[in-house]
Amino acid sequence: MKKIITGFTVGISATIALIYLSGYGYIFKAIGINLKKGSFAPSIDDEKKFPSRIIANLKPNVWKKNINYNKHHLSKRLTDELKKTRTSSLLVIKDNQLLYEKYWKDHNSSSLMNSFSMAKGFLAILTGRAIDDGYLESEDQLISTVFPEYKKSSYGKHLTFRHLLTMQAGFDWDEEYRHPFAENSKQYFVEDLAKQAFSIEIKNMPGQKYEYQSVSAQLLGMALTKITGKHLSDYISEKIWIPLGMEFPAKWSTDEKGMEKAFCCVHATARDFAKIGQLIMQNGMWEGKQLINAEYCKRMLKPTEQNDAFCYTIWAGEGINKEKQCWFFYGFLGQFIIMIPEKKMVIVKTGLYNKLEVDQKKRPLQVQILIDELTSMC
C-alpha cells in the first residue's frame, strides 16, 4: 500500500510539473479562484473573482418608467425559454422609457453582471471616440503604427484596426470554449494578457477571411490604451459612462498587471447596459449631444462582405427576424443588448447557459424568440 501511495504521489507531482512546463499553470490558478470565490465555471457573477478597474459614473440619471411599467405578462413560450436558459435579468426599453424588468436568482437592478463578449462591442464604440478625439486617423490605420513589432511580420504589417474590429486578423488562434487547455481559457485566467496576445502569430493575410478570435479584441484594447494614454476603464468612463448618466459605477476585470480584459468582462447593471444600446440605436446621439460620430455609427453597424451577420464586433440581425431589422451585442452564456429601431426598443437579457441553439451564422436563436415575444406584447 505504501508503494502504491508513493507511486500515486509521484505521478501526481509529475503531472503537475508537466502542466506547468507546458504553459498551462493558469489552470491551478483557475481552480483556486473558483473554489475560493464561487462557481467553478465562468459566471455572470465573476465580478469579485478578479482584480478590476472602476468605470466611474458621476450624476446618475435613472430611466423614466413607462406608464405601463411591468404591467405586461410574459408569454409561456418566453417564460419557458428564460427558465431553461437560467436567465438572471430581462429588461425592455420602449420609446426611451423603462417598460419592463425582472430579475432572478438574487439579482436586482443594482446587481453588476458580466458582459462577457458584449465588451467587444464597447471597444468598437471607443474606437469611434478615439477617431473623434484625434488619437486615431481611421479604422484603417495600421496596428504597426502603435506596436512596431508587427512591421517585422509578413502578414502582421498589413493588420489594421478594422481587421481587429471585424474579426479578420488571421491569427493562429482557435476560438474554443469546451476544454481548459484552450487559448480562451488561458486568456480568462492568465496573469499577463499582453504577453499572451503578442505571442500569437498571424498565419493568414488580414482582411481575407472572417474568423471570430478573442485575441483580436484584446489586441484592440491594448492598442486603444496605448494611443489614448488612458486605461480602457477611464476612457469609457469619460466618454460613455458619465455622459450617459449611468446609475452605477461598473467594473472592468483586469489581469495581474492591471490590463483590462478587453475581450470581455465589463460588470454592470442591466439598466446601464440598456443605455449603451439606446445610444447606438440613436446613432450616437444622447440628449442633444453627438457622443459618437454619426457616420462612424453607420459604419459600425454595416455587415462585412466576409460575414454579413457581423459588423464592428456587433452582430447584425438581418434574416434572424423576417419582419424587423435589428442588431445586438452578444456575450458568452447568453448576454444580449438587442436594438430594434423600428420598434424604438432595446432589450437586455443576461443569463448563464452554454447550450444556446444558433443559426448557420452562429447567431443565437434566442434573439429571435426575445424579439418575437417582447415586440408583440406592446
Side-chain angles (χ1 to χ4, degrees):
M1 178 60 72
K2 188 174 181 179
K3 290 183 178 180
I4 293 175
I5 293 175
T6 301
F8 178 77
T9 302
V10 171
I12 291 294
S13 300
T15 301
I16 292 173
L18 181 61
I19 289 175
Y20 269 109
L21 291 173
S22 301
Y24 297 115
Y26 65 90
I27 290 176
F28 299 109
K29 176 186 176 183
I31 293 172
I33 288 174
N34 286 305
L35 288 179
K36 182 179 179 181
K37 299 185 178 180
S39 167
F40 182 73
S43 164
I44 62 163
D45 300 315
D46 280 356
E47 169 251 324
K48 295 181 180 179
K49 288 183 179 180
F50 302 100
S52 61
R53 293 189 182 278
I54 298 295
I55 301 175
N57 65 337
L58 188 58
K59 297 179 179 179
N61 188 4
V62 179
W63 282 106
K64 181 180 179 180
K65 291 183 179 179
N66 188 282
I67 192 172
N68 292 314
Y69 170 74
N70 273 9
K71 291 182 180 180
H72 296 279
H73 296 285
L74 302 182
S75 67
K76 184 179 185 304
R77 179 194 183 202
L78 182 54
T79 299
D80 290 345
E81 176 71 14
L82 296 175
K83 182 178 180 180
K84 182 184 77 173
T85 56
R86 301 172 66 191
T87 299
S88 302
S89 69
L90 178 67
L91 184 144
V92 180
I93 302 297
K94 171 69 173 169
D95 296 322
N96 210 9
Q97 296 180 345
L98 181 57
L99 177 65
Y100 184 88
E101 65 179 332
K102 186 172 181 179
Y103 301 90
W104 292 264
K105 297 181 294 185
D106 298 323
H107 295 94
N108 56 52
S109 61
S110 64
S111 298
L112 300 185
M113 291 171 279
N114 197 344
S115 69
F116 286 106
S117 288
M118 291 198 302
K120 293 180 172 73
F122 303 169
L123 294 179
I125 294 173
L126 292 182
T127 300
R129 280 307 320 227
I131 295 172
D132 290 344
D133 293 339
Y135 294 119
L136 186 64
E137 294 174 3
S138 75
E139 307 96 292
D140 295 311
Q141 183 172 326
L142 292 169
I143 293 296
S144 61
T145 62
V146 183
F147 298 121
E149 50 265 50
Y150 282 100
K151 293 180 180 179
K152 302 175 183 179
S153 167
S154 56
Y155 292 138
K157 63 184 179 183
H158 301 287
L159 185 64
T160 67
F161 280 78
R162 185 189 299 271
H163 295 142
L164 299 179
L165 287 164
T166 57
M167 296 293 174
Q168 297 175 31
F171 282 109
D172 186 10
W173 173 285
D174 292 323
E175 193 78 5
E176 171 61 66
Y177 300 91
R178 291 172 294 181
H179 65 78
F181 297 100
E183 286 292 342
N184 293 77
S185 299
K186 182 178 182 180
Q187 192 177 41
Y188 198 65
F189 293 101
V190 73
E191 295 183 356
D192 189 340
L193 284 163
K195 182 178 179 181
Q196 182 198 28
F198 287 135
S199 72
I200 307 300
E201 298 291 332
I202 299 178
K203 63 177 180 180
N204 296 313
M205 178 62 73
Q208 294 186 350
K209 179 183 177 182
Y210 165 85
E211 189 173 359
Y212 190 95
Q213 298 175 323
S214 288
V215 67
S216 290
Q218 188 58 44
L219 183 61
L220 174 59
M222 289 158 48
L224 289 171
T225 298
K226 186 170 182 180
I227 63 175
T228 64
K230 301 175 182 179
H231 295 296
L232 293 175
S233 49
D234 293 335
Y235 198 45
I236 199 172
S237 169
E238 175 188 347
K239 302 301 180 180
I240 303 299
W241 236 252
I242 290 175
L244 293 188
M246 296 300 202
E247 289 188 39
F248 292 92
K251 294 183 179 181
W252 203 325
S253 295
T254 71
D255 64 11
E256 297 298 329
K257 295 185 177 295
M259 176 64 214
E260 287 91 347
K261 296 179 179 180
F263 64 97
C264 81
C265 310
V266 172
H267 302 268
T269 68
R271 288 186 178 187
D272 287 342
F273 281 142
K275 287 189 175 183
I276 293 177
Q278 187 71 34
L279 172 68
I280 301 306
M281 195 168 67
Q282 294 174 177
N283 212 24
M285 179 72 72
W286 192 266
E287 296 182 345
K289 296 181 180 180
Q290 196 71 46
L291 299 186
I292 310 169
N293 183 279
E295 289 303 314
Y296 177 83
C297 280
K298 292 177 182 178
R299 297 198 302 275
M300 185 170 63
L301 298 180
K302 183 179 180 180
T304 66
E305 293 182 4
Q306 287 74 15
N307 183 351
D308 62 3
F310 201 76
C311 310
Y312 283 8
T313 60
I314 296 173
W315 293 79
E318 189 73 29
I320 201 170
N321 187 286
K322 296 179 181 179
E323 299 180 0
K324 304 169 187 69
Q325 189 178 37
C326 67
W327 289 268
F328 59 96
F329 297 74
Y330 172 28
F332 181 54
L333 300 178
Q335 325 310 316
F336 301 112
I337 303 172
I338 305 170
M339 300 158 285
I340 314 164
E342 177 188 336
K343 289 289 185 176
K344 296 182 180 180
M345 180 181 285
V346 175
I347 301 168
V348 173
K349 178 260 173 184
T350 63
L352 189 64
Y353 190 72
N354 194 24
K355 297 180 181 179
L356 291 177
E357 295 181 45
V358 297
D359 65 10
Q360 292 181 340
K361 299 176 181 180
K362 304 299 183 183
R363 298 175 300 185
L365 298 181
Q366 188 175 81
V367 172
Q368 182 174 353
I369 296 173
L370 289 164
I371 293 173
D372 287 347
E373 298 303 314
L374 292 172
T375 56
S376 65
M377 82 177 192
C378 52

